[in-house]
Amino acid sequence: MQDKESMNASAGLSSKVRVGTSQPPESSFKRKRGFFQKDLQHMMYGFGDDPNPLPETVALVEDVVLEYVTDMVHKAQDTASKRGKLLTEDFLFLIRKDSPKLNRCTELLSMNEELKQARKAFEVDEEKLSSIE
Amino acid sequence: MLRRRCPTGGERIDLCRQWEKKMRAGRKRKRKRKRENIAFLFFWSFSRFTAYTGKWRGKKGNVFITPLCCRNSSSPNLEDPPMKKSKDPFEIAFEERDESPPESPTGPDENEAQTPGALTQDVSGDDDISNNLRPTDPSTSAASSIPVGTAGPTGKSKEEDEEEEEENMDVELGKLPSSGDPDKTAIMQTILSQFTEGQMSRYESFRRSGFQKSNMKRLLTSITGSAKISMPMTIVVSGIAKMFVGELVETARIVMAERKESGPIRPCHMREAYRRLKLEGKIPKRSVPRLFR
C-alpha cells in the first residue's frame, strides 16, 4: 500500500477511503482495491498492453478511470440540474466534441433499442406458442 | 378431528372449525399452484427452444450456442489455419457473410506484411474500431513473440461473463461495426481472416471486454446519490469509460515507443499518457479543486 500512496500523491490523483478487512454493506459503497481489476486486465490487453498487465498499472488505470467517471458525472449533473433529472442526453452532450466516443455511444444506444425490439418480438412469439399449446 | 394443534388452544370450537377450513383451503391452493408451476415449467422450457429460431435462448434472450447469422450450417472453413483453435462466434459470422472463401495465410511474415496493406484500404476511418486496430499492429508484432498460452485463458475466461453482459450481445450476434454496410463488412472480414492467433485473441479481448453493468450501476448510484440509474445510462457510461481506457493505453504505448522501451506498460508511462491527454483537453477539468487528498 505504501508505494501506491506515494504513486498517487506524485501523480496528483486522489484515492477514496480504502476498506480494510470489513465487508461493506450492499447499500453503501466503499471502494475496495481492484474494483474493476478483472475487467480492466482484459480491456488493457485488448487495447495493446501485455497479456498480463502489471498490477500497479491496473490500479493506476482504475484510479484514473474512476476519477474520470466521477468528474463526468458531476459535470453531467451540473448540466442536468436545470432540468432536475439526470438523463442520458447529458452524457452525450458532454462528449459531443469527441467524435469517436459520440459515435460509439449512439451506436450502443441504437443497438440496445434493436435488442429490446427483438426481445419484445420474441416474447410475443413465446406467448403465441404457449397459447397454441 | 383436528390433525394439528389449533392456535387458539382448542377452547373455542367455532374458531377451531374456521381455522381448520382455512388450512384446508390453503392446502388446496398449494396443490393447485404446484400443478400450475409444473405446467408453466413445461411450456417455458419448450418455448425456450423455439421452432422460430431453432436454438436455445437464455433468460435474457441471449444465445447460447450459435449467433443468429450462422443459424444455417456454416460453410466449412476452407483455409482453417492450424493456429485458430477457438472459433469466435463473430468470426464465424464474418466468414459466413462473405461468400468467397478467404485466402489462406501463407505464413506469419506474410500476414504482417499484408495486414497493414489491408488496413490502408479501410480509408473511411471514422470507424473507431479501425482506429484501434492500427495502433495495435506495432504492439501485436511485439506481442506475438509472447507465448500464446497466456493469451488463451484470458480470452476464454471472459466467456463466463458474456452471458450476463447485454452489451456483449451485439458481439455475439455477429453484428458488425456498421450493420448494413456491405463494403465495410467485407473489409473487416478480409482483415480478420488474416489475423494471427495473437492478434485474434487480442481482438477478441478488445471486443468482449467491458465493465460489469452491476458494478457500474453501483458506482453511478454512489456518485449521483440518486437511486434510479437507467440502463441506457449505464451502457453509455461504460462505453465512454472503455474508450477512455483505450485512449490511455494507446497513448501509453506511444510514450513507450518514444522512449524506446518494451514490455508491459509501467505506471510512469501511464502517468505521462494521462498528462498528455490532459493537455489535449480530453479529460474533464474540475471546476472546484479537490481538497483533502
Side-chain angles (χ1 to χ4, degrees), chain B residues 59-98:
Chain B
K59 248 194 230 174
K60 289 184 185 173
N62 52 2
V63 182
F64 283 152
I65 300 174
T66 53
L68 208 58
C69 298
C70 54
R71 189 193 322 163
N72 313 318
S73 58
S74 57
S75 53
N77 196 7
L78 291 178
E79 48 160 309
D80 198 18
M83 314 181 278
K84 287 189 191 169
K85 280 179 261 165
S86 59
K87 256 316 161 89
D88 304 320
F90 52 88
E91 193 202 325
I92 295 172
F94 289 152
E95 286 157 13
E96 238 241 335
R97 285 209 175 198
D98 199 1

Side-chain angles (χ1 to χ4, degrees), chain A residues 103-118:
Chain A
N103 292 335
R104 174 67 179 162
C105 284
T106 45
E107 180 192 339
L108 283 172
L109 286 172
S110 61
M111 203 74 76
N112 192 34
E113 286 304 313
E114 274 185 51
L115 285 171
K116 254 197 252 180
Q117 297 303 321

Side-chain angles (χ1 to χ4, degrees), chain B residues 140-172:
Chain B
T140 48
S141 51
S144 54
S145 57
I146 295 167
V148 192
T150 52
T154 51
K156 288 201 171 64
S157 62
K158 294 225 48 62
E159 288 179 15
E160 296 152 20
D161 301 328
E162 256 183 21
E163 291 172 9
E164 300 305 313
E165 290 296 311
E166 279 180 75
E167 195 168 340
N168 290 324
M169 270 168 76
D170 53 345
V171 169
E172 267 201 311

Side-chain angles (χ1 to χ4, degrees), chain A residues 14 45 48-49 57 71, chain B residues 175 201-202 253 265 286 290:
Chain A
S14 66
Y45 171 58
D49 198 0
T57 319
D71 289 343
Chain B
K175 290 274 183 175
S201 87
R202 199 180 280 271
R253 274 292 180 199
I265 298 180
R286 323 200 86 244
R290 182 166 265 171

Side-chain angles (χ1 to χ4, degrees), chain A residues 3-17:
Chain A
D3 53 340
K4 274 181 197 151
E5 298 263 9
S6 59
M7 184 180 74
N8 280 339
S10 59
L13 299 170
S14 66
S15 60
K16 291 187 193 159
V17 175

